[in-house]
Amino acid sequence: MAESEKEAALPPKEAFSDWYNELLWMAEIMDVRYPVKGLYVWYPFGFAIRRNTYSIIREILDNSGHQETLFPLLIPENEFMKEAEHIKGFENEVYWVTHGGKDPLDIPLALRPTSETAIYPMYKKWVRSHADFPLKLYQIVNTFRYETKHTRPLIRLREITSFKEAHTVHATWEDAEAQVKEAIGLYTEIYRRLAVPVLRSRRPDWDKFPGADYTDALDAVMPDGKTLQIGTVHHLGDNFAKTFDIKYEAPDGEQRYAHQTCYGISERSIAATISIHGDDKGLVLPPEIAPVQVVIIPIIFKKGAEEVFAACKDVQERLKKAGIRVEVDASDLRPGAKYYKWEMKGVPLRLEIGPRDLQNNVAVAVRRDTGEKDQITLPEIEAGVRLKFEAIQKSLYEKAGSELESRIFDCVDLDEVKEKIQEGVATIPWCGKRECGLAMEDHIGAGILGIPLTPRSKGKEKCPACGEETETRVYVARTY
Ligand SMILES: Nc1ncnc2c1ncn2[C@@H]1O[C@H](COS(=O)(=O)NC(=O)[C@@H](N)CS)[C@@H](O)[C@H]1O
Ligand SMILES: [Zn+2]
């Protein structure tokens, strides 16, 4: 896209919603002009961020005993309609295919909103014995949900383009529970690699995944204080095994129903990374997912231009050989315009090389996240750049972590909760009874997000709704 098309300026980040929408356009992440609501188009630059993000997800899943696979998109109505809870949860969200060409289909086909009812009839055919366990498969696919709430690119889509869903099978409820814990750990590690700190909590029963025994979730706190659910892990018990008749021969020869989990991450992982690290100048990307990790800017004067260009090319070749994604911006834009462009794209490190730097045998290194400027000697350029990446990654994660902690408020009563959830996440005691939870939600006008997996108890306190003594504090937040 020509530079001129982007005469609009990026709004300041505190105008978060406008900043976010404008940034997706100006940094060439997604084009929202596709003529179907809730469907968006990846620009190549945005898609490169997705590729790098999902190669981290694949690495972490593949290194923890998962295997990637691929199931069909279309699910026959009779299979989709088998699990009562699941249907109730998705019947208003599922798209149906009713024709092939001009012929009406004898069995309507659902576009998968998630793939339990595509996968589990096959699991029934595959699972035979406890020796088959643990079965840990995942796929990265597009799924379709007829979202009626406000759709937003990367955050709430009707076609979820990057839906990583894992589906595991185990002998016992306890084995599945252990898998849930492993998945929470894997998701926490994925987000550490994206320098995104997360809140981990058990969703209240009325908010769990349709057909699950319970749901644990990871939430990011976005710059506007609202939380974004960026990963969920569901213990499915033997609910789906009973519905789809997934049985195995136990060591004692008995036929038993299997126990299952499923867990998902979508492109919200990218929405959170962009939102949490970005600033008024645009994207700030963790080096590991940046499509361009280093941009080299030749500082050109009449004298010595040739040597400078040659040196920039040489540094580029060496960094490429070291596996670093690097560009030389030799365009005839003024240096300031170059800085603006690459800062907008979140390039973690800029190297400036001019005649004086050549004499001193150095490159000037400028960090995108802090603006800090210092020198790296040219013979050490590969190691120096890697050190910068480590410093940037560490600093992004620490900064986001303290920002998150500063947005969690232990409140004394519901009025304080109402006030504090404008800025972030409140905690408040809760006895755990549904009627109290729902009464509190009515009073506050926001939901119970979940019970922290790492308790935030302050000892014995009183449930604000019924006065009963409790040692549990729950998260309350406005959510996307
Ligand atoms: N409309 C949507 N747009 C973008 N991401 C979404 C959307 N709906 C859900 N997600 C993301 O997808 C994750 C998994 O979705 S889910 O419904 O919670 N869980 C499942 O579908 C289970 N089958 C595990 S894969 C959610 O945690 C959320 O981060
Ligand atoms: Zn209560």
Side-chain angles (χ1 to χ4, degrees):
M1 193 173 6
E3 290 307 314
S4 57
E5 283 180 41
K6 298 198 205 86
E7 66 290 344
L10 185 66
K13 192 178 179 187
E14 70 253 9
F16 177 66
S17 181
D18 295 339
W19 173 88
Y20 177 83
N21 291 330
E22 202 55 38
L23 182 54
L24 291 187
W25 154 254
M26 295 183 79
E28 296 186 343
I29 311 279
M30 273 207 148
D31 193 332
V32 298
R33 293 174 295 182
Y34 192 76
V36 177
K37 179 177 159 63
L39 275 58
Y40 310 104
V41 177
W42 285 100
Y43 281 116
F45 186 79
F47 199 72
I49 295 174
R50 176 198 191 263
R51 275 182 11 174
N52 297 335
T53 301
Y54 280 69
S55 73
I56 292 172
I57 292 174
R58 280 196 167 90
E59 174 205 320
I60 287 172
L61 289 176
D62 295 350
N63 292 347
S64 52
H66 297 75
Q67 291 173 291
E68 185 170 5
T69 179
L70 189 57
F71 282 79
L73 161 64
L74 299 175
I75 303 171
E77 186 183 40
N78 53 303
E79 292 295 351
F80 187 82
M81 304 304 266
K82 263 186 185 163
E83 211 287 334
E85 284 300 300
H86 194 69
I87 304 164
K88 249 200 341 278
F90 281 105
E91 62 190 350
N92 298 327
E93 292 194 7
V94 63
Y95 286 88
W96 290 101
V97 174
T98 56
H99 284 73
K102 292 193 171 47
D103 306 341
L105 298 176
D106 50 355
I107 296 187
L109 300 171
L111 291 182
R112 60 185 168 218
T114 171
S115 299
E116 283 74 10
T117 56
I119 296 174
Y120 300 170
M122 301 311 292
Y123 276 3
K124 168 182 172 41
K125 298 178 192 312
W126 294 352
V127 167
R128 284 281 162 275
S129 133
H130 64 88
D132 297 326
F133 299 149
L135 179 59
K136 296 163 65 168
L137 304 185
Y138 73 96
Q139 63 178 8
I140 299 176
V141 292
N142 57 347
T143 55
F144 293 83
R145 298 187 183 190
Y146 185 62
E147 297 279 359
T148 45
K149 274 195 201 174
H150 182 48
T151 50
R152 296 189 72 127
L154 295 179
I155 287 179
R156 183 175 296 281
L157 307 96
R158 286 185 164 177
E159 176 180 4
I160 306 169
T161 66
S162 313
F163 193 74
K164 187 288 306 164
E165 52 179 327
H167 295 267
T168 72
V169 193
H170 311 269
T172 66
W173 197 92
E174 289 69 22
D175 290 350
E177 183 183 38
Q179 185 57 45
V180 166
K181 291 191 170 75
E182 180 192 86
I184 292 283
L186 296 174
Y187 278 14
T188 304
E189 172 60 9
I190 287 167
Y191 282 109
R192 188 190 63 76
R193 296 272 289 272
L194 300 176
V196 170
V198 293
L199 296 180
R200 295 173 296 190
S201 68
R202 174 130 330 157
R203 289 288 189 256
D205 221 41
W206 58 83
D207 211 10
K208 70 184 176 188
F209 180 71
D213 278 1
Y214 64 81
T215 287
D216 287 345
L218 282 76
D219 293 288
V221 180
M222 298 283 265
D224 57 2
K226 287 164 74 173
T227 57
L228 178 66
Q229 177 181 280
I230 53 175
T232 29
V233 183
H234 312 291
H235 192 309
L236 303 179
D238 57 4
N239 311 332
F240 283 87
K242 284 182 175 153
T243 303
F244 289 92
D245 194 31
I246 303 172
K247 283 183 179 153
Y248 69 98
E249 185 181 300
D252 61 8
E254 286 289 303
Q255 283 294 317
R256 297 223 173 85
Y257 285 116
H259 292 79
Q260 295 174 263
T261 82
C262 64
Y263 30 103
I265 282 183
S266 76
E267 48 261 63
R268 285 187 179 179
S269 53
I270 297 171
T273 306
I274 288 174
S275 303
I276 284 167
H277 301 309
D279 64 13
D280 288 353
K281 294 194 287 191
L283 290 180
V284 176
L285 293 175
E288 199 173 351
I289 64 166
V292 177
Q293 295 172 306
V294 174
V295 63
I296 302 171
I297 311 283
I299 307 296
I300 300 298
F301 299 94
K302 275 205 203 3
K303 217 168 95 35
E306 286 313 303
E307 291 81 355
V308 167
F309 275 121
C312 290
K313 280 285 168 219
D314 171 54
V315 168
Q316 178 184 33
E317 281 321 303
R318 286 172 49 195
L319 291 176
K320 266 186 187 161
K321 257 201 221 79
I324 290 166
R325 299 184 288 274
V326 51
E327 298 280 342
V328 173
D329 185 341
S331 72
D332 50 13
L333 282 174
R334 292 174 295 96
K338 293 184 183 183
Y339 300 167
Y340 171 83
K341 167 184 174 181
W342 296 106
E343 283 165 355
M344 180 66 70
K345 284 189 176 298
V347 175
L349 195 65
R350 178 174 81 226
L351 297 181
E352 298 166 10
I353 300 179
R356 211 161 12 84
D357 307 308
L358 279 194
Q359 270 152 18
N360 303 334
N361 207 13
V362 295
V364 174
V366 186
R367 276 175 52 171
R368 171 65 183 87
D369 59 326
T370 60
E372 172 204 316
K373 206 175 220 186
D374 69 17
Q375 294 183 339
I376 304 176
T377 63
L378 290 179
E380 302 285 309
I381 197 71
E382 297 89 340
V385 164
R386 288 247 173 258
L387 276 175
K388 287 288 174 195
F389 288 169
E390 284 161 27
I392 292 167
Q393 175 70 15
K394 185 168 175 295
S395 158
L396 286 176
Y397 194 45
E398 285 168 0
K399 184 162 166 277
S402 49
E403 171 68 15
L404 172 66
E405 274 310 314
S406 76
R407 284 176 177 275
I408 301 175
F409 308 96
D410 294 333
C411 297
V412 292
D413 59 31
L414 295 181
D415 290 337
E416 189 185 7
V417 167
K418 214 168 170 173
E419 179 206 325
K420 290 298 185 196
I421 58 171
Q422 299 314 313
E423 297 163 58
V425 177
T427 76
I428 191 81
W430 178 40
C431 67
K433 287 202 298 297
R434 185 186 174 97
E435 59 274 19
C436 292
L438 295 176
M440 287 205 281
E441 290 195 348
D442 288 347
H443 182 98
I444 299 161
I448 287 183
L449 186 69
I451 298 175
L453 297 188
T454 316
R456 292 185 72 103
S457 167
K458 299 171 85 74
K460 289 192 185 335
E461 300 184 275
K462 292 198 177 322
C463 170
C466 70
E468 191 185 296
E469 208 167 72
T470 175
E471 297 208 21
T472 303
R473 273 189 167 251
V474 288
Y475 289 134
V476 177
R478 291 175 303 131
T479 63
Y480 272 89

